Amino acid sequence: MTETLDAIVVGAGHNGLVCAGCLARAGLNVTVLESAAQCGGMAGPRSLDRDYHIPSLAHTAFPLAEHVRHDLELDRHGYVPGPPAATISLQPDGRHLRLTGHEVSGADLHDADRSAYARFADDYGGFARALTPLMTTRPPRLKDMDFTDKKTLARLGWRIRMGLGKASMYEFLRVVAMNIYDVLDEIIEDERLKGLIAADAVIGHNAGPRSPGTVLTYLMRRFNELGGPMYVVAGNGSQVIDALAAAASGLGVSLQYGSTVEKILVENGRTTGVRLNGGAVLKAPLVVSSADPRTTFLDHVGASQLDAMFTQRVSQIRGAGGIAKLHVALSGAPDFKGLDNEALADRLLIAPSMQYLERAYNHSKYAELSDKPLLEITFPSAHNGALAPAGHHVMSVNIGIAPYELGSGWDAVAQTLPYEIIATIGQYAPNLSLLVVSHEFLTPPRIEQEYRVRGGHWHHGETTIHQSFMMRPLYGAAQYDTPVDGLFLCGAGTHPGGGITGLPGHNAAKRVLELAT
Amino acid sequence: MTMIEKTHFRQPLGRSPFHPRIALLSQSEEWTSWNGYMAPRVVAKLSTEYFAVRSGCSVMDLTPMEKYRISGSDARPFLDRLVTRDISGLAAGRVTYVIWCNDEGKLIDDGTLFQLGQNDYRLCSQHHQLDWLRTSAIGFDVQVEVETQQVAALAVQGPTACSVLAEAGFDDLQALQPFRFQQSACSGLPVMVSRTGYTGDLGYELWMKPNDALPVWDAIFAVQGRYDIHAIGLSALEMVRIEAGFVMPGFDFNTAESTIRAGYDRSPYEVGLGWAVSLDKGQFTGRRALLAESARPAKRRLMKIVVEGNKPVGASFIYDRRNGRQVGEIKCAAWSPILKANLALADIEFDNGRLPRELWARIDYQRELKWHSAWARCHVSEKPFYQPGHRGLTPPNRY
């Protein structure tokens, strides 16, 4: 290949594709190297047996931010977010709660809680909106600030002070570093409702409702919701990924599958390209990695090309996955007690109270998996019949809060645990176990291995306060550029973090173009 | 893991294997703590000890010096990333002086690096480095072990050092070149001998098992009748190392990992060790920061200065002229008996990357308990103050 590349993007996850597309749009000659045979990474499609298809890890998503959609003309490439999905919190006694947007309903739910929730949803939507200036650009440096940094901070300050108003700003500053348990306990009585809300603050994280920083994780989720309501990922594979790949290709990005990066090459502190497994070398002055920071720095770059303290900080990144995933092929639609068949199109939660979640997390802390785990269940086939044979379904279950290292070893439970989970869900849908055709079980270590993310964390690293904003993924690489000249990060491990938002990729591309041109 | 005896508190300072002999020779009983060991400042008489280094043969217990054994398949890449200097010339049997920095390019410590064999190294340093070495080991297949207690060490330094060791029964050291070492023997006991030192004179460092320490000591002192041999302490060492222009981390500058106040740490360039930084050797910790620093005008430097007159230079400020602007301070000073001069290392602020044209020290000193103040002109010396020609000769002069 004699053609000279301007940039190599490592990994064709959604952030890698967004970044590659934005760089190509600015005129750069970009190649994306993807280890798998398809793009999408954790948000890509997956097959279960031959006849059943299911989204990999991201089985729900929010619409991408408007500016990402616009810049890559995603709508022209067939991007249509799915229809809004409600969240149903299953209750053992059948008094399920149903939540759509700011409205929550259910048996025995008091009006006071109903309106408290509406206010809460409003307030926290406002708080999330106030973070917009910070989320849609590189996080500002606090030392040696440049004009952009000052502008970001000024806009953030303005949004918090003037956008929220005085009283709301005080409330924002009061709660932002709190835990979700205390906040919800202040304003809501109903245990079911508190469990439902708290589930969204802890799912995917190594945290219980009482863990510090869970208001922040909740706000980040609410921020993602600003682009539109949550939907169940159910395209033929995934709408986002297909549209992103089409958009990137349309902009001239070359997508190379089956290309596993072994090393990011560094000479005299500057990257020169990558070496693939098998020895082929691709040269480029810019390398943008959407792999997680630990994989990028410790495996691809290597400690010998980095400073010692930086390496140590990288190795300390908190990024053990908190989720195991169960995929089940079903020969028919399960009947959930107290729900009609249409509810299969919604998101079902087993998170009946905050105490339930806190106990699930307690086990995780001690390298155990609770026998009463947090479960998040979707039926992508309810949205797209092509995912399963006629009349059949696929069920996607997130299991939290799973320890990355299970004391008894994941292998020991990999055979039995899926049936226990199915039995747990079966308490709400008695015919479920009769419908099971087959299943696959993704433990955190298997997620780590299959998706090449150290720790197997959805967000490539916890979005705790010490790993967020100008500290994400870590001091020394928090503005997408790294200690290696020409090497940038653009994955979920960077600001503003995980979720199918495209924001890390978009922000990173801006930073690459700013520094490289 | 070795258990600490329950009586350890009765003896807060450790005893080197040489201690019984030094204690016997000690007349002044001036002891201090050196890395937790009981070490003599002066054994008998400072002037005798100083002149033993410069015109005879001195023997100093080096056991308290921190010693680390570094091994494993990544030992070389690990060391390459650790130290600022290009060590590609280091091979088995060779020693090199090295310094290392943190990510900000600030000096952590200096030391000597011995390559004992393939993937087998010894690093000797002034201060505890285990934490830093372990931090630096992340991502490398390397083992770092402290061997301070497992290796007894003795510095034999002075113009007659080679002759003394030959007389004491050491295998032939005539051909041993500076910064080389060899396995030798003394009275049948295995001793590793390196031609290294901290005195700026001809000298050797002997490395042995703690059990062999006293027989080796005795073998050397057995030839005391023919040669002028003296056990020396840290005070004499301080005089000769200043004469030789060697810096001492933690005394002449604050080491990075123990610095609290911003700007109180120092880079290699700022202490005159820029020669030990190879920016073109590839990555090492601090390279990026040092590359940036090297492109900026120098802010300050630790300078070797000769202070006019014979007033005792202590902790003094340096000014750009008599009663002028304060531009620096003296970090260490010694009266050099052999040069008959006041020598000092001084931390001096540069003006737009340049050394101030004139340097003056304001010396506060006592005469019969009354304080006086005097101004003394200072002259910068780019070279070591004292660099005797005989120190580098191979074979060394015979006496």
Side-chain angles (χ1 to χ4, degrees):
Chain A
M1 194 166 71
T2 50
E3 182 186 24
T4 55
L5 279 175
D6 296 321
I8 291 168
V9 173
V10 180
H14 84 284
N15 278 311
L17 293 174
V18 168
C19 187
C22 292
L23 294 177
R25 187 169 160 261
L28 268 59
N29 186 359
V30 185
T31 286
V32 179
L33 301 174
E34 168 58 47
S35 184
Q38 60 178 29
C39 51
M42 287 176 163
R46 203 178 162 96
S47 289
L48 183 59
D49 291 345
R50 204 184 35 168
D51 301 326
Y52 299 86
H53 308 282
I54 201 157
S56 299
L57 294 185
H59 66 180
T60 62
F62 297 98
L64 290 180
E66 197 58 47
H67 65 290
V68 178
R69 270 168 91 161
H70 173 266
D71 283 1
L72 294 174
E73 297 181 63
L74 291 181
D75 297 14
R76 201 164 63 78
H77 289 98
Y79 176 59
V80 186
T87 298
I88 295 168
S89 176
L90 300 172
Q91 302 298 323
D93 56 9
R95 296 181 309 140
H96 310 317
L97 290 188
R98 188 167 199 280
L99 182 140
T100 27
H102 293 191
E103 279 178 31
V104 59
S105 59
D108 303 333
L109 187 66
H110 290 291
D111 284 346
D113 276 344
R114 215 188 304 267
S115 49
Y117 175 70
R119 262 198 319 276
F120 169 81
D122 248 4
D123 289 348
Y124 279 66
F127 296 161
R129 193 168 292 111
L131 292 175
T132 307
L134 182 58
M135 304 294 256
T136 54
T137 187
R138 67 173 207 244
R141 289 166 63 114
L142 296 181
K143 202 180 158 203
D144 307 326
M145 285 191 270
D146 67 9
F147 177 71
T148 308
D149 296 331
K150 287 176 187 162
K151 196 173 77 181
T152 305
L153 280 178
R155 287 176 60 212
L156 178 66
W158 178 265
R159 289 290 279 267
I160 290 175
R161 178 63 187 86
M162 305 314 286
L164 290 176
K166 197 169 168 185
S168 203
M169 175 186 78
Y170 283 147
E171 179 63 5
F172 172 76
L173 295 177
R174 184 180 78 91
V175 300
V176 71
M178 277 176 71
N179 67 64
I180 197 79
Y181 189 102
D182 290 348
V183 164
L184 294 177
D185 238 12
E186 285 174 3
I187 53 172
I188 293 172
E189 291 284 329
D190 194 290
E191 294 301 334
R192 296 170 295 170
L193 181 54
K194 286 189 280 192
L196 192 168
I197 303 167
D200 277 343
V202 300
I203 194 162
H205 302 282
N206 272 294
R210 280 187 163 124
S211 302
T214 38
V215 166
L216 185 69
T217 51
Y218 180 74
L219 278 179
M220 299 234 190
R221 188 181 171 94
R222 292 300 305 271
F223 174 82
N224 293 348
E225 208 178 320
L226 296 177
M230 180 191 69
Y231 63 92
V232 172
V233 176
N236 291 323
S238 160
Q239 300 100 326
V240 190
I241 296 305
D242 293 347
L244 282 172
S249 299
L251 288 161
V253 172
S254 153
L255 296 172
Q256 288 190 22
Y257 299 115
S259 304
T260 306
V261 169
E262 187 199 21
K263 277 281 166 208
I264 291 172
L265 303 173
V266 182
E267 274 173 36
N268 283 321
R270 166 167 280 287
T271 183
T272 57
V274 302
R275 189 174 70 229
L276 301 177
N277 264 359
V281 168
L282 255 75
K283 296 265 178 194
L286 297 171
V287 174
V288 190
S289 174
S290 73
D292 68 283
R294 287 189 291 172
T295 299
T296 303
F297 289 121
L298 300 179
D299 299 340
H300 291 165
V301 175
S304 60
Q305 293 295 346
L306 299 165
D307 285 348
M309 288 156 86
F310 182 82
T311 307
Q312 197 242 8
R313 288 201 301 277
V314 171
S315 72
Q316 299 292 325
I317 289 175
R318 241 182 95 174
I323 286 291
K325 187 98 196 278
L326 178 64
H327 295 150
V328 187
L330 301 171
S331 61
D335 285 326
F336 281 87
K337 285 185 284 185
L339 295 178
D340 53 27
N341 226 4
E342 282 171 20
L344 295 188
D346 292 327
R347 178 176 71 134
L348 310 183
L349 282 181
I350 298 183
S353 70
M354 293 200 290
Q355 283 82 351
Y356 180 96
L357 298 175
E358 192 66 29
R359 287 202 184 95
Y361 175 54
N362 282 348
H363 285 278
S364 164
K365 281 190 291 193
Y366 303 111
E368 299 159 5
L369 184 65
S370 170
D371 57 1
K372 294 190 174 63
L374 160 62
L375 299 180
E376 184 190 52
I377 307 153
T378 63
F379 295 89
S381 49
H383 291 271
N384 183 353
L387 295 182
H392 289 219
H393 278 286
V394 284
M395 178 172 77
S396 170
V397 188
N398 278 323
I399 305 158
I401 293 134
Y404 169 70
E405 279 179 38
L406 190 65
S408 54
W410 278 106
D411 289 343
V413 299
Q415 295 304 316
T416 53
L417 197 65
Y419 296 101
E420 289 170 24
I421 300 295
I422 289 166
T424 302
I425 303 170
Q427 292 167 17
Y428 303 87
N431 69 333
L432 180 68
S433 59
L434 302 174
L435 303 173
V436 174
V437 177
S438 66
H439 72 267
E440 72 166 353
F441 184 46
L442 302 178
T443 64
R446 186 166 164 200
I447 292 171
E448 171 176 56
Q449 189 198 345
E450 286 198 22
Y451 295 97
R452 294 163 299 278
V453 174
R454 276 217 194 194
H457 198 291
W458 277 0
H459 305 315
H460 292 194
E462 283 287 352
T463 41
T464 46
I465 220 157
H466 77 289
Q467 292 185 173
S468 293
F469 310 119
M470 39 289 263
M471 303 287 276
R472 187 163 186 85
L474 75 161
Y475 164 69
Q479 295 197 309
Y480 308 101
D481 50 312
T482 70
V484 177
D485 290 335
L487 174 65
F488 293 80
L489 299 178
C490 74
T494 62
H495 173 80
I500 313 299
T501 67
L503 291 178
H506 194 272
N507 289 350
K510 266 198 285 190
R511 183 65 170 160
V512 173
L513 294 169
E514 177 190 333
L515 289 183
T517 54
Chain B
M1 197 179 150
T2 50
M3 295 295 290
I4 296 174
E5 284 173 38
K6 285 179 184 153
T7 55
H8 65 93
F9 60 91
R10 296 186 201 283
Q11 196 186 81
L13 288 182
R15 300 285 191 271
S16 148
F18 297 108
H19 183 78
R21 297 293 182 270
I22 303 170
L24 271 180
L25 294 171
S26 178
Q27 290 176 11
S28 58
E29 298 286 353
E30 284 183 60
W31 301 97
T32 185
S33 166
W34 177 16
N35 279 341
Y37 280 88
M38 191 170 172
R41 279 189 210 281
V42 176
V43 179
K45 194 163 187 286
L46 180 57
S47 58
T48 310
E49 291 169 28
Y50 167 83
F51 280 108
V53 182
R54 287 293 174 239
S55 53
C57 180
S58 68
V59 177
M60 183 170 165
D61 180 9
L62 279 186
T63 309
M65 190 165 56
E66 294 292 332
K67 301 180 276 290
Y68 299 94
R69 192 67 169 259
I70 295 161
S71 57
S73 62
D74 282 345
R76 190 58 176 251
F78 162 81
L79 289 164
D80 243 326
R81 206 273 299 252
L82 176 76
V83 305
T84 61
R85 197 174 182 187
D86 182 357
I87 53 167
S88 53
L90 186 65
R94 295 191 184 211
V95 192
T96 186
Y97 173 78
V98 291
I99 56 177
W100 50 99
C101 294
N102 65 7
D103 290 18
E104 280 72 47
K106 301 301 182 185
L107 262 170
I108 291 179
D109 205 354
D110 71 351
T112 43
L113 178 61
F114 296 69
Q115 182 166 355
L116 303 176
Q118 201 188 356
N119 297 332
D120 190 13
Y121 298 84
R122 174 178 296 154
L123 180 66
C124 301
S125 64
Q126 176 69 21
H127 300 283
H128 292 285
Q129 294 299 323
L130 188 61
D131 181 50
W132 182 251
L133 295 176
R134 292 255 165 102
T135 298
S136 297
I138 295 170
F140 293 90
D141 176 18
V142 66
Q143 289 80 48
V144 180
E145 300 298 334
V146 184
E147 57 173 18
T148 304
Q149 287 191 51
Q150 284 77 44
V151 181
L154 212 52
V156 180
Q157 308 265 318
T160 63
C162 184
S163 303
V164 165
L165 290 174
E167 187 75 11
F170 276 81
D171 288 352
D172 184 37
L173 299 175
Q174 290 288 315
L176 187 60
Q177 293 177 335
F179 288 102
R180 304 281 176 111
F181 66 87
Q182 66 185 43
Q183 299 302 330
S184 185
C186 168
S187 319
L189 303 171
V191 180
M192 191 180 101
V193 180
S194 58
R195 190 161 162 191
T196 47
Y198 195 55
T199 61
D201 217 298
L202 174 69
Y204 300 86
E205 289 171 338
L206 318 182
W207 314 83
M208 68 212 84
K209 293 195 196 100
N211 282 343
D212 300 339
L214 293 181
V216 170
W217 177 284
D218 291 341
I220 294 168
F221 279 85
V223 300
Q224 207 173 15
R226 268 204 66 197
Y227 293 96
D228 190 33
I229 305 174
H230 291 278
I232 70 164
L234 292 163
S235 298
L237 185 72
E238 174 73 357
M239 293 171 72
V240 295
R241 71 100 184 168
I242 292 172
E243 286 179 340
F246 294 145
V247 294
M248 191 181 277
F251 294 87
D252 300 339
F253 63 89
N254 222 46
T255 56
E257 292 303 276
S258 62
T259 301
I260 295 163
R261 293 167 181 81
Y264 278 37
D265 45 12
R266 292 288 180 265
S267 78
Y269 300 117
E270 291 172 335
V271 299
L273 290 175
W275 61 269
V277 177
S278 316
L279 289 173
D280 53 0
K281 78 160 188 171
Q283 171 64 13
F284 58 86
T285 297
R287 177 180 181 269
R288 199 175 156 87
L290 291 172
L291 203 59
E293 186 184 335
S294 69
R296 292 191 298 262
K299 265 195 200 156
R300 57 173 69 250
R301 224 178 95 187
L302 191 70
M303 308 294 298
K304 293 182 270 292
I305 56 169
V306 179
V307 184
E308 284 184 355
N310 59 4
K311 303 276 189 306
V313 180
S316 302
F317 285 116
I318 303 281
Y319 298 79
D320 62 355
R321 56 188 185 279
R322 214 186 257 263
N323 290 316
R325 190 171 58 92
Q326 188 189 310
V327 293
E329 59 200 53
I330 285 175
K331 293 297 187 187
C332 64
W335 171 256
S336 166
I338 204 156
L339 297 173
K340 309 279 184 287
N342 254 327
L343 311 179
L345 297 179
D347 190 43
I348 293 169
E349 281 170 38
F350 278 33
D351 190 10
N352 266 331
R354 288 215 197 94
L355 186 69
R357 240 179 313 164
E358 277 186 31
L359 296 175
W360 288 78
R362 205 194 76 182
I363 303 172
D364 297 322
Y365 63 100
Q366 282 187 316
R367 285 272 185 272
E368 295 177 341
L369 296 183
K370 181 169 166 43
W371 282 101
H372 298 261
S373 205
W375 288 92
R377 183 78 193 264
C378 305
H379 304 279
V380 167
S381 170
E382 284 298 338
K383 287 194 178 149
F385 302 112
Y386 181 70
Q387 218 174 5
H390 65 254
R391 85 188 198 292
L393 295 179
T394 308
N397 295 333
R398 292 300 308 247
Y399 295 98

